[in-house]
Amino acid sequence: MLLKLRKFVSSDVFLVIILFLLAAIVRLIPELKAGVWPIGYDTSNTYVAELASYHGPLINWVKTANIHYFLFLPLKYLGASPELIVKIFGPIFYGGLISCFYLFLRKFLKFNFLKAFLTALLVIFQFAALRISWDLYRNELALSFFFLGLIYLPKIFQFKNLFYFTSLAILVVLSNQLVTVMLLVIMIVYGLHFLRFRQWEGLAAVLIALVVSGTFFTVVLHSSGEILYDPHIIFTSEKHYIWRYFYQYDEIMPYQQLLNTIGGLVWLLYGWLIPAALYGLYLCRKNLVLMTMTVWLLLGTFSSLIF
């Protein structure tokens, strides 16, 4: 019995549980301080309003990348108020995200137990991660599926891994569009990697996953501007998305003010981590997924300064 307990304590399952509880407790603190009121903007403006008023076909939640509502439904059917439901799921989503990130570190980056645990622990207390946890539940859920999916990407040419990766990619698509784009970029770069080295089985597998998830994403993009959620609310979307990157920012704020704002935020969030981040980037420079993710997110962060 003692041997089994020792083995469990030294296992990934135990650390996943610990990290889930730690992250959930940290995220629970502002919920307790806020009393009956949910934390964040989207929680009240979108999630609570949706749970309180939506009476349409549930398939619309799938078509518009809102499958997180299906997780809310059991509590709603049990009579819980929309406000209470979103307060309960705030800590749950954050705990789930950190747990999936830990598994990504262990299974994809091959970190040892201590290194993966400390890295995940560091993320729990990051301002940016905590900000996302306030009300961006869709992003959190998509990132959880995203980290789990990447575990199966290196050996995607095996049918089992292809099935798991594609299934999780679909869940990413049905959860959040921003995370979907990042996943699609990684898949494209990984496919080009297979093509360069003429690894045809890997290339075929990536293309299958790309076509399937891309098809679902097309449905999401098409449906997000047409689905009727409430007799008085219609979600609309802009056409020609690419041109939104070429706004004249000078009409909104002077360039220097924009530079100071973005630079100040980056320094506030990550200034003390920059030396460690650069060293980590050097160590992981040969990891195609991490490099793709890093370049893509840096472009997104500073795109307004470029354009």
Side-chain angles (χ1 to χ4, degrees):
M1 185 59 143
L2 184 60
L3 183 61
K4 289 183 178 180
L5 180 61
R6 185 178 301 173
K7 185 177 180 180
F8 174 74
V9 170
S10 62
S11 68
D12 284 320
V13 175
F14 177 75
L15 290 180
V16 163
I17 295 173
I18 293 299
L19 286 168
F20 178 89
L21 293 176
L22 285 174
I25 290 171
V26 169
R27 179 58 180 78
L28 181 63
I29 294 173
E31 294 290 358
L32 294 177
K33 290 174 66 68
V36 298
W37 304 107
I39 300 295
Y41 177 79
D42 283 0
T43 46
S44 297
N45 183 64
T46 303
Y47 307 148
V48 170
E50 183 76 8
L51 284 172
S53 64
Y54 183 60
H55 301 290
L58 298 183
I59 190 63
N60 288 353
W61 285 343
V62 177
K63 294 167 65 177
T64 55
N66 281 293
I67 60 173
H68 64 291
Y69 285 118
F70 290 101
L71 300 176
F72 299 163
L73 283 182
L75 287 180
K76 181 179 181 181
Y77 289 147
L78 289 174
S81 67
E83 295 85 357
L84 178 60
I85 292 174
V86 298
K87 288 181 73 69
I88 290 174
F89 272 90
I92 291 176
F93 280 135
Y94 196 49
L97 172 60
I98 299 301
S99 298
C100 293
F101 179 65
Y102 168 82
L103 292 174
F104 167 76
L105 297 174
R106 286 283 292 136
K107 306 297 183 181
F108 183 83
L109 295 183
K110 307 301 181 183
F111 282 11
N112 60 39
F113 287 104
L114 181 60
K115 189 176 181 180
F117 179 80
L118 293 177
T119 305
L121 193 65
L122 177 66
V123 173
I124 290 177
F125 296 97
Q126 286 296 298
F127 288 157
L130 288 168
R131 164 62 192 98
I132 291 174
S133 75
W134 288 352
D135 56 359
L136 301 180
Y137 292 178
R138 297 172 63 241
N139 303 61
E140 286 182 284
L141 186 60
L143 283 171
S144 298
F145 294 137
F146 172 82
F147 286 127
L148 291 179
L150 289 180
I151 294 173
Y152 302 100
L153 183 58
K155 295 184 178 180
I156 194 173
F157 49 83
Q158 298 176 356
F159 178 78
K160 180 179 68 173
N161 290 333
L162 173 60
F163 175 78
Y164 289 147
F165 177 84
T166 304
S167 299
L168 289 163
I170 292 172
L171 291 175
V172 170
V173 173
L174 300 181
S175 298
N176 180 258
Q177 292 92 325
L178 287 175
V179 182
T180 297
V181 172
M182 183 165 62
L183 180 60
L184 293 177
V185 169
I186 290 174
M187 292 166 65
I188 292 171
V189 172
Y190 219 77
L192 293 175
H193 170 78
F194 282 135
L195 178 63
R196 177 188 175 189
F197 292 98
R198 299 183 179 181
Q199 298 177 5
W200 308 121
E201 289 184 353
L203 176 61
V206 169
L207 287 176
I208 291 173
L210 188 60
V211 169
V212 172
S213 54
T215 301
F216 276 89
F217 193 44
T218 300
V219 174
V220 168
L221 292 178
H222 178 73
S223 301
S224 60
E226 298 181 359
I227 297 300
L228 184 66
Y229 275 83
D230 183 88
H232 305 291
I233 301 174
I234 298 178
F235 284 78
T236 60
S237 60
E238 296 184 34
K239 303 298 182 182
H240 310 298
Y241 298 98
I242 188 66
W243 299 114
R244 296 172 62 185
Y245 286 97
F246 295 92
Y247 285 140
Q248 294 295 322
Y249 281 93
D250 285 342
E251 297 179 3
I252 302 174
M253 66 174 66
Y255 187 85
Q256 186 62 46
Q257 182 181 349
L258 183 66
L259 176 63
N260 293 340
T261 300
I262 294 177
L265 280 173
V266 171
W267 184 254
L268 172 67
L269 296 176
Y270 306 114
W272 66 284
L273 277 176
I274 288 177
L278 292 175
Y279 178 62
L281 193 62
Y282 171 77
L283 294 178
C284 298
R285 64 190 183 280
K286 294 183 179 180
N287 189 300
L288 186 61
V289 171
L290 282 186
M291 289 304 298
T292 301
M293 202 186 313
T294 300
V295 171
W296 181 255
L297 292 176
L298 285 174
L299 284 174
T301 300
F302 299 104
S303 61
S304 60
L305 297 180
I306 298 172
F307 291 113

